[in-house]
Amino acid sequence: MGSVNRYDNLNLPLLQDSAPNSPDQKNQFVEDHEKDLKTRVWMESKKLWHIVGPSVFSRLTSYSMLVVTQAFAGHLGDLELASISIANNVIVGFNFGLLLGMASALETLCGQAFGAKRYDMLGMYMQRSWIVLFLCCILLLPLYVYAAPILKLLGQPEKVAEQSGLVAVWFIPLHFSFAFQCTLQRFLQSQLKTGVLAWVSLVALVIHVFISWLFVYKFELGVVGAAVALDVSWWVLVFGLLGYTVCGGCPQTWTGFSLQAFSGLWDFFRLSAASGVMLCLENWYYRILILVAGNLENATITVNALSVCMSINGWEMMIPLAFFAGTGVRVANELGAGNGKAAKLATKVAVVQSTIIGIFFCALIMIFHDKFALIFSSSKDVLEAVDKLSHLLAITILLNSVQPVLSGVAVGSGWQSWVAYINLGCYYLIGVPVGILMGWVFHLGVEGIWGGMIFGGTAVQTAILAIITIQSNWDKEAKKATMHVEKWSTLGQHNQS
């Protein structure tokens, strides 16, 4: 009987559970599928926010050091605020954009290697990045030394250019700190050690507020004191992260300094350069707005108003940039592990959540359009000028909640080279000319320039990146990432031999 019953089961449908026929079965199938999707989204959200949460905090505190410096300078006077703003947003921002972009090559390599469990490669990648970025810092030094004549050549008022040139020279120590801070941050993020970034950034911010007060008010060093305080605080951040890394915080990925780091530098430089061009074209875009504004009537008030808006935008931008980092790490980790579908899910979750946050801050700016500038200035003229620009700031914040996430996907996937061409075309062949056309030809002033750059450049670039991301073959990208990891793991050995 037992054998007969067993053979009777052969008459049952083989796929009875996976192909429900009754309404109740179909409803249960849909519920199970939705429950599975909710679980996957929840799990991905937890992984993403494990990176994004501490990254938001560390970026906000790091950027707050720049904001604190501007706030101290702003209460010294309009000239001091303008000089710190231009030195920070134009000279430092120009160089930081390039170095930050070059360091993103480390995000691709370390993220994919960590996903592939090739932990020994991460420390070597970081040392190569140190060498490449430090050499680039030396090459970029003339921009600090000759900042005053450069700014005059770009049309800045003489007093503002001279004062900005003085501040830029005192920012040279800050400039060299970027070569180490950017790389250490990406090294730690790629292996999900984000908590240390938050704690070290908090300590650096507390120290910065104290020494800024000490140098500006107690020692009465003026705008130079504000600049020196920023130098000291940023190096506190660097030594804190370095101390954690080399003193046992990363036992699997840091095995000490090695001469092998000097091998394969040219190939590493080429990848870093592509990354640098991709991100610095984005980072420089709105710096051009401040430079152009210096050629308009009532330049000091206009520059100050724009600097306030750019500072608020930059402050809020730390959240999308944290999503940029989180998305880059998640996509790189999953592609390195050969899991294309998980990389696709990570992209969707990051875009949706970052957009929701962007909508919230966009609404916040519109509500407090006539009040938020009080953080930086008590000048009635500056407050009125900022109020007129608040609607453009709100739109910029909304667009920037999506675009950095898509750039994070590009970094995690290793698409930097051709995304650089997209950025060049959208920003500089479309955005800047449209902005100039709106500002001067149609006489709309700084609002026309900014509006043209938003809709002519940022919106177009975001749309193109969205289309590319949607149409990507993620299984193919996973295979490419596996080959990429193998290539870079053998590169150093090949060059050594």
Side-chain angles (χ1 to χ4, degrees), residues 219-249:
F219 296 160
E220 297 183 351
L221 297 176
V223 72
V224 170
V228 172
L230 191 60
D231 294 336
V232 173
S233 304
W234 214 266
W235 275 102
V236 167
L237 183 60
V238 170
F239 283 118
L241 297 178
L242 183 63
Y244 174 84
T245 299
V246 303
C247 296

Side-chain angles (χ1 to χ4, degrees), residues 348-427:
K348 290 180 177 179
V349 171
V351 169
V352 170
Q353 294 185 5
S354 182
T355 303
I356 292 171
I357 294 172
I359 292 171
F360 170 77
F361 280 102
C362 175
L364 211 58
I365 290 295
M366 296 304 293
I367 293 169
F368 297 101
H369 61 93
D370 58 342
K371 296 181 178 65
F372 64 83
L374 287 168
I375 300 171
F376 301 94
S377 179
S378 54
S379 169
K380 184 180 178 181
D381 292 335
V382 173
L383 295 176
E384 289 178 355
V386 171
D387 187 19
K388 291 179 181 178
L389 296 173
S390 60
H391 62 288
L392 290 172
L393 174 60
I395 296 170
T396 301
I397 285 174
L398 182 59
L399 282 174
N400 284 344
S401 67
V402 180
Q403 183 272 330
V405 182
L406 298 177
S407 293
V409 176
V411 168
S413 306
W415 302 339
Q416 291 98 319
S417 295
W418 50 269
V419 173
Y421 290 107
I422 295 172
N423 291 351
L424 178 63
C426 293
Y427 288 147

Side-chain angles (χ1 to χ4, degrees), residues 9-19:
N9 289 335
L10 292 176
N11 296 321
L12 296 175
L14 291 175
L15 299 176
Q16 58 181 343
D17 292 331
S18 59

Side-chain angles (χ1 to χ4, degrees), residues 16-17 19-32:
Q16 58 181 343
D17 292 331
N21 293 315
S22 69
D24 290 340
Q25 285 179 318
K26 288 180 180 179
N27 290 336
Q28 184 62 46
F29 182 77
V30 170
E31 286 179 11
D32 290 342

Side-chain angles (χ1 to χ4, degrees), residues 95 98-99 102 127-142 175-180 183 261-262 264-266 268-269 272:
N95 293 287
L98 180 60
L99 296 171
M102 293 183 73
Q127 291 177 63
R128 286 175 184 159
S129 192
W130 281 346
I131 296 167
V132 169
L133 265 67
F134 186 80
L135 292 175
C136 286
C137 282
I138 295 174
L139 294 175
L140 292 169
L141 268 181
H175 168 64
F176 278 96
S177 73
F178 295 148
F180 302 96
T183 48
F262 290 92
L265 285 180
W266 177 244
F268 200 94
F269 173 78
S272 297

Side-chain angles (χ1 to χ4, degrees), residues 433-450:
V434 170
I436 292 173
L437 183 71
M438 297 291 288
W440 270 282
V441 177
F442 292 101
H443 307 290
L444 295 176
V446 68
E447 293 181 69
I449 298 169
W450 193 354

Side-chain angles (χ1 to χ4, degrees), residues 73 113 119 143 163 240 255 271 288 306 333 367 369 375 394 414 433 435 464 496:
Y119 304 126
L143 293 175
Q163 186 86 314
T255 56
L271 180 62
I288 292 174
L306 271 175
N333 285 171
I367 293 169
H369 61 93
I375 300 171
I464 292 173
Q496 283 283 64

